[in-house]
Amino acid sequence: MNTFLAFLQEHIQIIYIVILSIFLGIEVIGRVPSVLHTPLMSGANAIHGVVIIGAIIVMGQVSSDDIPALIIGFLAVVLGTLNVVGGFVVTDRMLEMFKKKK
Amino acid sequence: MEINLLTLCYLLGSVSFIVGLKMLSHPDTARKGNWVAAAGMAIAILGTIFLYSKDGVKLANYGWIFGGLAVGTIAGTLAAKKVKMTSMPEMVSLFNGMGGACAALISIIEFQHLTHPMLVQDNMYAAAGSLDGATLLIIFAGLIIGTISFAGSMIAWGKLNGSVKDLAFNGQQIANNILLLAIIGVAAYLTYNISITNYYWFYFITAAAVLYGVLFVLPIGGADMPVVISLLNSFTGVAAACGGFLYDNQVMLTGGILVGAAGTLLTILMCKAMNRSLMNVLLGSFGITAKGEQQAITGSFKEISISDAAVCMSYATKVMIVPGYGLAVAQAQHICHELEQLLEEKGVEVKYAIHPVAGRMPGHMNVLLAEADVNYDSLLEMEDANNEFKTTDVVLILGANDVVNPAAKTDPASPIYGMPILEVEQAKTVIVNKRSMKPGYAGIENALFFQPKTSMLFGDAKAALQKLVAEIKAI
């Protein structure tokens, strides 16, 4: 119990962020029309590419003679970038189709 | 106090994600919303590269970082630009898998980093104190969730492009659950008892998580992949948030959790559109469990020739087109639009009836038809379409089956009973284009095809439409 409370106290800011973000995530897309389900999913897919930041930090802290870690880190950066860039471009292509014709 | 611009970058990033998601859920602002989120992402990434420092030490290895960014950007843009509209869902699944793999790789490096002193000193007791339980727990969580998301997405990708077949064996659910429990159990044990003699179990967990991801998606039918991708999408969000926890990084945390929550809700919304529960989708029971007492369908169907169909449609007042999976597979959206224009020139009113789950993903038909320049206003959603069928002369069904099956309304024993459908049988004539009499995804017969007012036009949607267009031109 004490360890749990200590953990809670130490990370209370993060825990607040998590809880509020959960509600926000649900509220923010609450009334999306079914037409937009696919683009929205694709857009959300691009946003979780934010994991790339973790890959960059890891990469930047690896000592430059640790080749295996450098290779794994490099791979992580490539994959993360694919997720971000590909995700946003694909979403844009989908949404481009929706623009009203005049 | 050290002044750090990076905090501002992360704040901007987080806000842009929220605003972007909000805008993405409205048709008018969706496209801008995507760019708002992308801009926020760019700020957060550039900020991290140039401003991040820990204990006063800036990031190193710029060559590797920029190299990775360049490779990823070029490959990602090319892949995203080249992919056909019909293969969009596969692409999203693939990108999602990349994100999951990225999260898993971060965990692997961090784990090696953490356990390194233990191995070098060759003394588990000397180093044990340096391992923080909470950190290890987060590393495991990121690894497991990221890996499952990666493996699952790859299978989903394979299923959508047809290279992976459905596979289910007896007791698969039980086997999956045991595997998951084993993964969690070993991870929990390692968190509190890690030592030089057992640290390599970390890699066992990695392998087991890959296996679980594969087994989790394998039994689920291809048509349910959108739901699965959406679910895995929210998994990756949570894996990204684990990274945020690890580095005390707010933008990763908010971005990850936001997607985790929104993705879960979106998954549930997609299931609702099909009138099924998430459990029902995940258990892959469609077409497997519901057997037996369905109403038998007897009778014969009649075929219609291209020229008869052409005459029938040319002299109608109102034609409703019901596009389905078959249209998407045959890439027939452009020729379909041509048919529509041709009929309109002859004074026929043409509209499209779009079932929420027609095609491979919710909204997929809208995207496809929009690609072919079909006017947004002639696309009717299910309820509006159902009101108009009574006044429709000809319904042309292009490769749709389950979404027009009257068994959903009339036969309680049918596996699709209760699913909202397009009530095409209210129209005067129904022409069904299909490749064969083979049942649709749900594996059930469709009584609609045997009704007196229905005629079948067999053949690939694109080929049939091309002939139809040529025939109507000749009239």
Side-chain angles (χ1 to χ4, degrees):
Chain A
M1 188 64 195
N2 273 343
T3 29
F4 176 71
L5 281 180
F7 176 82
L8 206 63
Q9 208 142 13
E10 197 183 337
H11 300 288
I12 192 66
Q13 277 191 339
I14 288 184
I15 291 165
Y16 266 104
I17 294 179
V18 168
I19 292 173
L20 292 176
S21 300
I22 290 175
F23 282 100
L24 193 60
I26 292 173
E27 280 304 316
V28 101
I29 66 150
R31 258 177 284 160
V32 57
S34 66
V35 182
L36 282 178
H37 279 175
T38 304
L40 181 64
M41 174 163 118
S42 177
N45 175 46
I47 290 176
H48 71 48
V50 73
V51 68
I52 174 79
I53 288 178
I56 292 172
I57 295 175
V58 160
M59 190 80 226
Q61 289 174 344
V62 168
S63 72
S64 55
D65 52 1
D66 187 355
I67 299 297
L70 278 177
I71 292 172
I72 300 178
F74 179 73
L75 205 59
V77 173
V78 172
L79 296 181
T81 319
L82 267 176
N83 187 180
V84 172
V85 177
F88 281 122
V89 175
V90 157
T91 312
D92 187 59
R93 264 192 71 193
M94 281 188 212
L95 291 170
E96 194 184 10
M97 310 293 172
F98 280 99
K99 64 171 181 260
K100 291 237 164 80
K101 309 268 159 20
K102 254 289 110 229
Chain B
M1 196 186 84
E2 190 191 348
I3 297 170
N4 201 341
L5 257 179
L6 188 57
T7 319
L8 180 65
C9 291
Y10 285 170
L11 188 63
L12 285 174
S14 297
V15 173
S16 83
F17 291 164
I18 298 167
V19 175
L21 265 187
K22 179 89 194 154
M23 291 171 78
L24 265 170
S25 42
H26 294 281
D28 296 338
T29 52
R31 199 170 179 204
K32 260 191 227 145
N34 185 43
W35 287 115
V36 168
M41 183 72 79
I43 293 172
I45 290 176
L46 292 175
T48 307
I49 296 177
F50 294 112
L51 300 170
Y52 186 89
S53 67
K54 194 186 175 193
D55 307 329
V57 185
K58 287 215 158 199
L59 293 179
N61 305 319
Y62 275 131
W64 289 85
I65 293 176
F66 283 114
L69 285 173
V71 172
T73 306
I74 295 170
T77 313
L78 281 182
K81 287 263 181 206
K82 285 211 165 146
V83 63
K84 286 194 211 102
M85 269 299 151
T86 37
S87 320
M88 235 22 147
E90 282 149 67
M91 208 68 224
V92 175
S93 181
L94 195 62
F95 288 142
N96 182 49
M98 300 296 110
C102 180
L105 290 177
I106 292 172
S107 281
I108 291 177
I109 298 184
E110 280 300 319
F111 181 79
Q112 290 176 338
H113 188 68
L114 268 180
T115 50
H116 190 61
M118 184 168 84
L119 303 182
V120 170
Q121 291 179 22
D122 201 21
N123 180 346
M124 61 181 179
Y125 301 106
S130 70
L131 286 172
D132 169 16
T135 310
L136 211 49
L137 195 66
I138 293 295
I139 290 179
F140 276 125
L143 174 82
I144 296 169
I145 301 170
T147 309
I148 291 175
S149 178
F150 165 68
S153 297
M154 289 304 109
I155 297 297
W157 173 69
K159 281 204 174 195
L160 282 176
N161 67 26
S163 53
V164 177
K165 298 273 168 283
D166 295 0
L167 178 80
F169 52 83
N170 281 338
Q172 185 158 9
Q173 287 309 321
I174 298 167
N176 280 3
N177 290 340
I178 291 174
L179 184 60
L180 185 62
L181 282 179
I183 292 171
I184 295 172
V186 174
Y189 178 79
L190 279 189
T191 302
Y192 293 103
N193 303 290
I194 190 137
S195 73
I196 196 156
T197 52
N198 65 14
Y199 79 98
Y200 55 81
W201 278 89
F202 179 85
Y203 300 101
F204 159 80
I205 292 178
T206 315
V210 170
L211 185 64
Y212 181 79
V214 170
L215 289 179
F216 174 67
V217 180
L218 262 186
I220 305 174
D224 281 333
M225 280 307 120
V227 176
V228 174
I229 296 171
S230 177
L231 187 69
L232 293 174
N233 192 24
S234 64
F235 279 12
T236 314
V238 176
C242 289
F245 208 92
L246 203 56
Y247 301 114
D248 207 0
N249 185 310
Q250 287 82 3
V251 75
M252 283 174 80
L253 200 61
T254 43
I257 295 290
L258 212 55
V259 172
T264 309
L265 178 67
L266 191 58
T267 312
I268 294 169
L269 288 178
M270 284 183 178
C271 290
K272 270 196 187 151
M274 296 190 278
N275 201 33
R276 295 170 60 198
S277 72
L278 181 58
M279 267 341 255
N280 183 267
V281 171
L282 294 184
L283 293 177
S285 63
F286 222 24
I288 297 174
T289 52
K291 271 189 185 135
E293 296 157 36
Q294 289 167 45
Q295 290 165 14
I297 293 165
T298 49
S300 57
F301 56 89
K302 62 172 185 290
E303 279 192 60
I304 189 170
S305 69
I306 294 280
S307 53
D308 285 349
V311 170
C312 186
M313 291 173 75
S314 305
Y315 294 103
T317 322
K318 185 150 122 192
V319 171
M320 191 82 85
I321 298 176
V322 179
Y325 185 67
L327 174 113
V329 173
Q331 296 270 358
Q333 65 270 32
H334 292 282
I335 187 78
C336 184
H337 179 51
E338 209 181 317
L339 174 76
E340 172 209 335
Q341 283 174 315
L342 202 57
L343 288 172
E344 297 248 299
E345 276 168 31
K346 289 183 181 283
V348 185
E349 186 186 357
V350 183
K351 285 192 174 153
Y352 293 84
I354 314 284
H355 191 277
V357 294
R360 283 186 162 179
M361 287 188 147
H364 193 199
M365 279 301 134
N366 306 64
V367 175
L368 269 188
L369 292 171
E371 190 205 357
D373 280 335
V374 172
N375 195 332
Y376 194 79
D377 298 324
S378 41
L379 306 183
L380 298 184
E381 293 203 10
M382 185 168 56
E383 277 152 40
D384 299 329
N386 279 342
N387 289 333
E388 293 212 15
F389 281 127
K390 279 180 219 98
T391 56
T392 302
D393 300 301
V394 183
V395 171
L396 177 65
I397 298 175
L398 297 169
N401 188 346
D402 296 330
V403 296
V404 293
N405 193 336
K409 285 199 307 178
T410 56
D411 182 2
S414 169
I416 61 165
Y417 184 70
M419 182 172 91
I421 55 158
L422 290 166
E423 293 157 12
V424 294
E425 71 272 17
Q426 293 180 357
K428 292 198 187 80
T429 316
V430 179
I431 300 175
V432 182
N433 167 244
K434 267 171 86 24
R435 271 182 296 191
S436 67
M437 279 308 281
K438 244 179 76 182
Y441 168 66
I444 45 174
E445 293 285 352
N446 192 337
L448 177 76
F449 303 158
F450 300 96
Q451 284 180 4
K453 67 168 72 160
T454 309
S455 12
M456 308 298 294
L457 182 67
F458 290 116
D460 171 79
K462 193 171 186 173
L465 281 173
Q466 275 163 347
K467 282 182 215 153
L468 209 52
V469 164
E471 197 69 36
I472 292 175
K473 271 184 187 157
I475 290 176

